[in-house]
Amino acid sequence: MNNPLILAIDTSCDDTSVAVLRGNKILSSEVSSQVEIHAKWGGVVPDIARREHEKNIPMVYEQALKKAKVNIEDIDYVASTYGPGLAIDLEVGLNFAKDLAIKNNKPFIPVNHMEGHLLSGLIGIDGKKSEEYFPALALLISGKHTEIVYVEKIGSYKKLGETLDDAVGEALDKVARMLDLGYPGGPVICEFAKKGKSGNISFTVPMKNSKDLNFSYSGLKTAALYKVKELREEGRKEKEWVYDFCRGFLDAIIESLKIKLESAIEQHNEVETLFVGGGVFNSEEILREIGKMARSYGLKFVFSEKEYRGDNSGMVGIAAYYKILRKEYLTLKEDIEKVDRNPRLSL
Ligand code: ZN
């Protein structure tokens, strides 16, 4: 089967997302976003997310089929994220997908959400061409994850470093909350940083001198909290310093990512490509800066369209597509039933 029809589902966090792919090309990608519901809490509330997933998934599924102009009978494979993510939320999409596969007698593909982020840049890229990209490194940054992965080839991964505490996206969200800038924090901090001047307010770059490839953002977050307190106590108007504050905070984040990536590239100078994925790359400046750095080392830089950088099911579909090529799927009902969610699944 050259271009199988794949139905892919992701409910690992707050978005209910269903996509249909023909081979590595997306035919439809439907999302029911809960951003507004969770915004007032300043982050995702798992119980509320589950209720929304349960309510929305049948409709999102129908829309995805309709937009792709296919019926469930036409689908060749059903795929779903089984981890990592929020346990009670993962379950909704996974169970829905398993039921579909069993009832309709389709092979089932459990997908690691992080493999989805990693391969998201290959959506729509011809499989032959994708072979030129390896070995490669990947930087995955989102609200829950910050990691550097060595990719020998598709399906063969080794995590080189990760955050020891908060993820980049989490730190951005928390600082935005301190400043009452709303949720999610990344886009608004980047927007404000554009109007600020580097060096007026600066932060120590976290883990700058650590010898490993790990990250840490909890110290930076605490430093930011103290700084906000200090500036407020000085009685200066927020609008006088908030832009410089966001500039300084973003500079420290970008610098910390670059330092670790540079050492990873120097330690693995055989790599051809840097892959990036995760919702934090929706902040264009972060994407641009990391891209510039990768190209300065002569690496190819692979990233997806904006809609596939954050959590989505298109990336689950592309990971499933490459699993089909490797013949990694389940056909027996007993095996499909056994697939359980794994909230702490790692690459
Ligand atoms: Zn994610």
Side-chain angles (χ1 to χ4, degrees):
M1 203 181 311
N2 262 343
N3 282 313
L5 262 183
I6 306 163
L7 180 94
I9 297 180
D10 186 275
T11 60
S12 58
C13 192
D14 59 336
D15 284 339
T16 317
S17 156
V18 183
V20 177
L21 290 85
R22 162 87 63 199
N24 60 3
K25 296 197 175 55
I26 306 239
L27 299 184
S28 67
S29 171
E30 294 298 296
V31 184
S32 169
S33 169
Q34 303 177 13
V35 162
E36 280 168 31
I37 296 168
H38 298 283
K40 62 174 178 241
W41 308 97
V44 177
V45 185
D47 284 342
I48 298 177
R50 182 188 176 99
R51 205 178 60 211
E52 290 297 309
H53 286 313
E54 280 172 340
K55 190 173 85 191
N56 295 325
I57 199 163
M59 181 186 74
V60 181
Y61 159 72
E62 291 296 340
Q63 279 171 354
L65 287 179
K66 199 171 156 199
K67 257 220 174 119
K69 299 193 175 66
V70 296
N71 297 313
I72 184 66
E73 295 78 35
D74 306 324
I75 297 289
D76 299 306
Y77 298 86
V78 177
S80 168
T81 295
Y82 72 110
L86 302 166
I88 62 170
D89 298 306
L90 278 169
E91 251 163 35
V92 180
L94 178 62
N95 291 339
F96 189 87
K98 280 161 63 178
D99 281 352
L100 268 183
I102 292 170
K103 277 191 196 132
N104 296 283
N105 212 5
K106 311 283 180 191
F108 179 68
I109 308 172
V111 171
N112 181 327
H113 179 89
M114 298 313 289
E115 186 178 19
H117 276 308
L118 199 158
L119 299 180
S120 58
L122 293 181
I123 290 173
I125 288 188
D126 143 46
K128 274 255 156 20
K129 188 165 181 247
S130 70
E131 283 165 23
E132 302 162 12
Y133 293 134
F134 303 98
L137 288 172
L139 175 67
L140 309 177
I141 49 178
S142 69
K144 284 275 173 287
H145 294 271
T146 303
E147 47 197 62
I148 298 183
V149 181
Y150 183 81
V151 188
E152 193 200 335
K153 56 180 190 214
I154 297 177
S156 171
Y157 312 108
K158 185 171 178 252
K159 203 192 281 174
L160 301 178
E162 63 189 327
T163 182
L164 304 174
D165 40 60
D166 290 359
V168 176
E170 207 173 349
L172 288 163
D173 284 343
K174 283 180 183 161
V175 167
R177 198 152 138 199
M178 282 173 209
L179 297 168
D180 301 316
L181 298 181
Y183 167 86
V188 59
I189 288 186
C190 291
E191 218 32 63
F192 275 40
K194 277 189 202 159
K195 299 185 199 157
K197 194 163 172 284
S198 287
N200 282 353
I201 295 177
S202 51
F203 296 94
T204 308
V205 176
M207 304 284 278
K208 195 174 174 178
N209 299 315
S210 78
K211 296 269 182 286
D212 54 26
L213 296 175
N214 290 326
F215 303 89
S216 162
Y217 293 101
S218 115
L220 178 63
K221 183 187 69 191
T222 309
L225 178 65
Y226 282 124
K227 196 77 198 169
V228 171
K229 248 178 111 186
E230 189 189 307
L231 289 161
R232 282 181 180 155
E233 275 163 12
E234 281 172 14
R236 284 170 59 197
K237 285 205 187 78
E238 204 120 338
K239 66 173 186 225
E240 286 172 17
W241 53 263
V242 72
Y243 301 118
D244 287 342
F245 184 98
C246 290
R247 182 71 265 162
F249 188 73
L250 188 61
D251 284 345
I253 297 251
I254 292 177
E255 199 49 33
S256 73
L257 295 170
K258 278 189 184 169
I259 288 172
K260 296 298 170 159
L261 262 180
E262 281 177 355
S263 8
I265 295 168
E266 279 156 19
Q267 286 169 31
H268 298 273
N269 58 16
E270 73 279 19
V271 298
E272 302 278 347
T273 311
L274 177 67
F275 283 84
V276 297
V280 175
F281 283 108
N282 278 335
S283 303
E284 295 293 337
E285 186 181 337
I286 298 181
L287 183 73
R288 196 171 59 237
E289 288 301 311
I290 298 299
K292 232 193 268 171
M293 197 221 72
R295 292 184 190 107
S296 77
Y297 280 87
L299 301 184
K300 299 179 195 88
F301 185 56
V302 179
F303 60 96
S304 72
E305 300 278 328
K306 201 161 186 167
E307 61 175 312
Y308 303 116
R309 290 180 211 156
D311 290 347
N312 68 88
S313 50
M315 70 183 200
V316 174
I318 194 78
Y321 169 73
Y322 282 100
K323 284 193 155 208
I324 295 166
L325 298 185
R326 305 199 296 274
K327 305 211 170 359
E328 288 177 25
Y329 46 80
L330 306 170
T331 48
L332 296 176
K333 182 173 178 248
E334 306 84 81
D335 292 339
I336 298 173
E337 275 169 348
K338 261 187 250 156
V339 178
D340 197 6
R341 86 261 191 298
N342 184 348
R344 309 199 65 82
L345 183 67
S346 176
L347 269 178

